[in-house]
Amino acid sequence: MIETYLDSKKQEMYDLLERLVNTDSGTYDKEGVDAVGDMLLEKFEEIGMDVKVHYEEKLGNHLEIKASRDLDPKILIIAHMDTVFPKGEAEKRPFKVIGDKAFGPGVNDEKASHVQVLYALKALKEAGSDAYKNVHIIFNSDEEIGSPTSKPLIKQVAENKQYSLVVECSRPNGGLVTERKGVGQFTLDVKGKSAHSGVDPERGRSAIEEISHKIIKLQQLNNYDEGISVNVGLVQGGTSTNTIPSVARADIDVRFNNEQQAADIVKKITEISQEEHVSGTVTKLKGDISRPPMLKTSETEQLINVIHEAADDLGITIREVSSGGGSDASFTASEGIPTVDGMGPMGEFSHSEKEEYTDLKTFPQFTALLAKTIEKLSE
């Protein structure tokens, strides 16, 4: 029944996906994110769901959705509405379908997931199943920058939940994510002293020289065999070539497998920031661990077994993968809730300007998988 219903609704699903993809919703584009939120609010209210808007002043608003305010659902579903693309990207390369693949900014990360969640609930209702009442949905607006405003909401809603299904895209060949690395974001700001590089360079204190020493030491913290990566991804400094630079900045991304590694890395970054190589410079360190690691547990294994049962019913092959990328799944996993990520439609190349796609031939199948999983977890 669920599969037949979804197969009959494929064009509706694609049409809504096109509308969402053709609406810019970069994290800092509040107007665009809220426009996506308004579309989703309307669609979920049309099927009788209760939608609460959590208003934000600077970033996009968050949506909290369940069948009724009075219910206490046990399954949490999380999806984000923001993308990494700037305003104007949708006009530059709008939604298009080539063969069995849909392309466009954010199609896979993760606007196809919005459509999937909606139609999974519609399919359950159409089948006469009350399982749709057992879900509590969060559509947040700031996942791509670490969920600074939605993290408290996610943790609040996660209380007393038995399961968490996060609908980042599933990987090719049915890859569901059961482990993720933790993430840290740090910034080094170095203050030196400016001077004319030709007239009196000895009076200057080069902030760029100082930060260069630190960058080399930071990059030496990498230990790929142990799952630790430290990347200085952005560097800024100076004002002109004939001026000794008085300011410099480095932005650092950190990934790790466990809490002990996180503590060790934070300690080492702090020590490097406190070292002085160029006399008279001052360094300030900002940042912290933004997402804990998502660790696989025995309870996760039990949840995966249920998803396997649902997949077997549908003739879908799934497998488990680990990921170095971060997601909101880490927040629920750290609360001790059995969590599986990658429950979204199948696709690849998220954040890519040209290659990101969603696999349309498996879109209804993975929507059915989400619906069947909700149904089985509610029995």
Side-chain angles (χ1 to χ4, degrees):
M1 178 68 176
I2 287 175
E3 305 97 294
T4 303
Y5 172 79
L6 290 170
D7 194 56
S8 72
K9 297 296 180 180
K10 285 191 293 188
Q11 192 57 53
E12 275 187 24
M13 295 169 71
Y14 302 161
D15 289 346
L16 177 57
L17 180 58
E18 180 174 7
R19 287 181 61 201
L20 292 169
V21 171
N22 286 344
T23 304
D24 287 314
S25 59
T27 307
Y28 296 104
D29 178 7
K30 177 174 173 58
E31 181 182 5
V33 175
D34 288 345
V36 167
D38 288 344
M39 276 188 259
L40 294 173
L41 181 149
E42 178 184 354
K43 290 296 183 181
F44 278 88
E45 286 188 337
E46 281 179 2
I47 64 169
M49 301 296 285
D50 182 270
V51 184
K52 180 179 179 181
V53 180
H54 293 263
Y55 292 95
E56 293 291 334
E57 184 178 347
K58 295 181 179 179
L59 298 176
N61 303 325
H62 314 302
L63 302 184
E64 180 184 354
I65 305 168
K66 53 184 180 176
S68 168
R69 291 280 181 94
D70 300 328
L71 292 175
D72 185 23
K74 298 305 179 186
I75 303 169
L76 175 59
I77 296 176
I78 305 173
H80 65 88
M81 298 179 289
D82 60 324
T83 75
V84 298
F85 299 105
K87 198 171 185 65
E89 191 74 12
E91 183 177 3
K92 187 169 78 173
R93 52 183 190 93
F95 179 87
K96 65 179 179 181
V97 175
I98 301 176
D100 291 323
K101 295 178 179 178
F103 296 84
V107 65
N108 191 54
D109 188 19
E110 56 183 31
K111 295 187 175 182
S113 301
H114 308 151
V115 181
Q116 177 203 30
V117 174
L118 174 68
Y119 277 84
L121 298 193
K122 290 180 75 162
L124 288 169
K125 293 191 74 172
E126 184 69 19
S129 170
D130 282 341
Y132 77 94
K133 297 178 181 179
N134 199 29
V135 296
H136 199 157
I137 303 162
I138 294 294
F139 286 133
N140 61 332
S141 68
D142 56 357
E143 190 272 349
E144 296 291 3
I145 60 169
S147 306
T149 66
S150 60
K151 178 181 176 180
L153 174 62
I154 290 170
K155 284 184 170 285
Q156 175 192 335
V157 170
E159 290 182 8
N160 301 318
K161 291 295 184 288
Q162 295 177 351
Y163 311 101
S164 174
L165 304 175
V166 180
V167 290
E168 296 281 347
C169 65
S170 58
R171 306 314 194 252
N173 301 315
L176 307 186
V177 181
T178 54
E179 294 179 297
R180 283 187 180 274
K181 288 186 177 183
V183 182
Q185 303 287 338
F186 299 86
T187 299
L188 284 179
D189 283 300
V190 178
K191 179 71 174 174
K193 183 180 179 182
S194 61
H196 194 289
S197 64
V199 177
D200 49 4
E202 68 282 354
R203 293 184 63 249
R205 299 290 183 267
S206 174
I208 289 179
E209 181 183 353
E210 174 66 25
I211 210 166
S212 296
H213 286 283
K214 289 175 162 60
I215 289 171
I216 291 170
K217 292 195 170 186
L218 288 167
Q219 292 294 146
Q220 290 172 345
L221 297 178
N222 279 292
N223 187 337
Y224 302 134
D225 291 340
E226 296 295 326
I228 297 170
S229 60
V230 178
N231 181 56
V232 181
L234 287 173
V235 179
Q236 304 171 59
T239 55
S240 67
T241 57
N242 62 350
T243 302
I244 304 297
S246 63
V247 292
R249 167 175 286 196
D251 292 320
I252 309 151
D253 179 274
V254 175
R255 308 286 165 134
F256 51 88
N257 282 335
N258 55 60
E259 297 290 356
Q260 185 58 56
Q261 289 179 343
D264 292 343
I265 286 293
V266 171
K267 182 174 181 289
K268 289 173 182 177
I269 291 175
T270 302
E271 290 172 351
I272 290 170
S273 73
Q274 293 171 345
E275 296 173 359
E276 184 183 78
H277 300 273
V278 177
S279 177
T281 58
V282 176
T283 301
K284 290 185 178 180
L285 173 67
K286 295 184 294 185
D288 206 342
I289 301 303
S290 56
R291 283 196 174 99
M294 174 185 168
L295 304 177
K296 187 177 177 182
T297 65
S298 58
E299 289 81 9
T300 308
E301 288 278 11
Q302 294 173 23
L303 174 54
I304 278 286
N305 289 339
V306 174
I307 299 170
H308 269 291
E309 291 174 9
D312 289 344
D313 289 349
L314 296 165
I316 298 173
T317 300
I318 60 171
R319 60 191 178 92
E320 296 178 45
V321 300
S322 59
S323 174
S327 92
D328 293 326
S330 294
F331 298 141
T332 56
S334 68
E335 296 294 315
I337 301 168
T339 301
V340 171
D341 199 350
M343 285 291 293
M346 195 184 300
E348 280 186 290
F349 308 126
S350 297
H351 297 195
S352 168
E353 291 185 2
K354 295 181 179 179
E355 297 179 311
E356 178 184 7
Y357 75 88
T358 291
D359 185 342
L360 293 181
K361 67 179 181 295
T362 63
F363 195 6
Q365 289 178 304
F366 276 78
T367 303
L369 178 62
L370 180 61
K372 285 274 191 181
T373 299
I374 292 168
E375 194 169 45
K376 286 183 177 292
L377 292 175
S378 301
E379 291 175 351

